[in-house]
Amino acid sequence: MKTYNSKMRRALQTLFLLVASALGTPAEAQPRIDSVRPTGGAPGVRIRIRGAELDKVNAVLVGGTRVEFERPSARVIAFVLPNQGGQLLLLTQGGMTRGPELHVSDAPTIAELEPYPADPGRPLTLRGANLNPDRIDVFLDDRRLAISSASATELVVLVPSDAVSGTLRVVNPEAEMTRELEVLPPFEAEVVQRGAFYEGDRIELRGVGLAGVQIEVTQEFQRGREPDAPPELASLTPRVRSSGQRATFRAPAIAPAEDEAWTLLRLAAVDTFGRRRELPVQVVPTEAFDANASARRECEESRCVISIRGSGFPLRRVVARAGRTRLPLLGQSRTEIRLEETAPNTGEVVVRVGGRRLRILGVSGRCLCD
């Protein structure tokens, strides 16, 4: 009974307002509606009216039902869509202004965002319902996002590389869904010199967001099969020196498997948020090139040459010293490194290739060049 009386009282109030509007002075300036956004959606969606003379409105009706409204200014009215749609009416003391029909429909909903927080310059997947790809747009604040793929339950959009946190808006012609979206700082990593590296080689990265970056190491088998005994992996977390736009580290070590199913090391940069960036480099096994290497002096064109013979020598920069004397490089291949002995030496020769110390070699023979 109490509910019935309440409904009757509301109906009488509405009727009174309609009659008062009809009997008002026609000459009085009436509110003008310029836009209504959105024109429908799920019950509870917020509707915003823009126009003029809206400070004269004393009631808002949707399908004959009076709704509570807010008036932030004389040009804006906002209210929440009730459970039913219908004709929009704005009532004043002296008249009535008609608006569009408002429709109650299924608004787009977002149940999951992946990844979250979003990554600038990377795809963002939205999963939910009522994501009709023919009738939907996605905005970050007022910036439209490019949709790369879409279905009724999933959208994939591209987050701009310069995006910052803001309001994610999913809009169809009748409704709008909003959700706050956190966007991480930019993170990009690029290798200055690409290609194959050996253990100990210096690798330099440039990019953005490199402060605190770590290097992730994984292995793959070069010959398409796993060896009987997996190779030993050492230094899997290289020590990295980094700043915001630059990072350097040494190529980690890898030892070959006994059955020669050599592996390669693949590297990726990982930032403090756990984001991965694949690095286009390979760390190649150095092989056991110095296990049976031999070194001896030879006379060649009136100069004393130290010839180091072995197998699998990496074709990287060679630095050799006999004591404090640096020995000029005459030539190198996978099986031989040739050095010029510029001063008599009875001790040992230290050879480094690509920053890696191969071994300390005792050199046999005497140089008898005239």
Side-chain angles (χ1 to χ4, degrees):
M1 187 69 178
K2 190 177 291 185
T3 303
Y4 175 78
N5 290 337
S6 175
K7 288 184 176 179
M8 282 294 297
R9 187 161 52 251
R10 281 179 140 185
L12 290 173
Q13 289 175 346
T14 301
L15 180 61
F16 174 79
L17 289 169
L18 290 171
V19 172
S21 299
L23 297 176
T25 306
E28 182 181 356
Q30 294 300 306
R32 185 185 77 244
I33 296 176
D34 294 332
S35 67
V36 178
R37 296 286 186 277
T39 57
V45 69
R46 190 173 179 82
I47 308 292
R48 185 179 292 267
I49 303 171
R50 294 185 182 275
E53 306 289 342
L54 298 183
D55 55 332
K56 297 179 179 179
V57 174
N58 53 32
V60 176
L61 306 181
V62 177
T65 300
R66 185 172 180 174
V67 297
E68 298 294 329
F69 67 94
E70 300 173 359
R71 186 166 33 220
S73 71
R75 299 184 59 83
V76 176
I77 282 179
F79 63 93
V80 171
L81 185 66
N83 292 329
Q84 83 288 330
Q87 178 76 53
L88 173 65
L89 297 177
L90 304 182
L91 305 183
T92 67
Q93 195 64 35
M96 175 177 60
T97 299
R98 292 180 179 273
E101 289 277 337
L102 301 183
H103 306 280
V104 175
S105 61
D106 293 328
T109 60
I110 300 299
E112 181 184 3
L113 297 174
E114 185 183 354
Y116 190 87
D119 194 358
R122 297 293 193 282
L124 173 67
T125 301
L126 293 70
R127 297 187 180 94
N130 303 316
L131 304 178
N132 189 331
D134 298 326
R135 306 174 63 241
I136 209 150
D137 289 300
V138 181
F139 298 85
L140 182 55
D141 292 331
D142 294 326
R143 188 174 186 177
R144 187 189 301 269
L145 304 184
I147 300 176
S148 58
S149 66
S151 68
T153 58
E154 182 175 289
L155 295 176
V156 179
V157 299
L158 181 63
V159 181
S161 58
D162 59 347
V164 296
S165 300
T167 302
L168 185 69
R169 300 167 46 226
V170 183
V171 183
N172 66 25
E174 299 172 346
E176 174 178 327
M177 189 284 309
T178 61
R179 178 170 175 173
E180 292 305 307
L181 179 66
E182 181 181 353
V183 179
L184 294 176
F187 172 49
E188 298 296 338
E190 183 180 55
V191 180
V192 175
Q193 180 182 357
R194 301 186 179 188
F197 294 84
Y198 290 88
E199 173 193 348
D201 285 353
R202 183 176 180 271
I203 301 176
E204 181 178 355
L205 306 180
R206 290 180 184 170
V208 293
L210 296 181
V213 73
Q214 297 294 317
I215 301 301
E216 179 184 280
V217 183
T218 56
Q219 65 174 339
E220 67 177 33
F221 296 93
Q222 188 176 7
R223 298 184 182 175
R225 64 183 179 87
E226 292 193 13
D228 296 333
E232 175 188 352
L233 297 179
S235 305
L236 290 188
T237 307
R239 184 177 179 180
V240 183
R241 296 181 177 180
S242 63
S243 62
Q245 299 180 341
R246 187 170 175 270
T248 59
F249 62 96
R250 295 285 181 181
I254 181 172
E258 291 183 0
D259 65 354
E260 298 186 350
W262 307 118
T263 65
L264 303 177
L265 293 187
R266 299 288 185 179
L267 307 182
V270 182
D271 76 346
T272 53
F273 295 99
R275 292 177 291 179
R276 269 177 108 257
R277 298 291 185 261
E278 295 287 344
L279 302 178
V281 300
Q282 297 177 355
V283 178
V284 183
T286 54
E287 308 177 359
F289 55 81
D290 61 338
N292 299 308
S294 62
R296 59 181 294 110
R297 293 180 176 86
E298 299 175 352
C299 185
E300 181 182 297
E301 297 179 357
S302 300
R303 62 184 174 184
C304 196
V305 176
I306 296 177
S307 175
I308 304 171
R309 291 186 174 92
S311 64
F313 292 153
L315 300 178
R316 311 295 289 180
R317 180 171 177 263
V318 173
V319 177
R321 295 182 183 276
R324 296 185 178 181
T325 304
R326 182 163 177 172
L327 305 181
L329 176 68
L330 299 177
Q332 69 181 117
S333 68
R334 288 287 187 179
T335 59
E336 184 181 19
I337 296 174
R338 298 172 61 251
L339 309 167
E340 181 181 2
E341 189 173 29
T342 55
N345 172 54
T346 58
E348 297 176 323
V349 176
V350 177
V351 181
R352 292 180 180 271
V353 178
R356 181 178 185 273
R357 180 171 174 160
L358 302 184
R359 66 181 297 187
I360 299 177
L361 298 166
V363 183
S364 63
R366 295 177 60 189
C367 190
L368 302 176
C369 295
D370 292 332

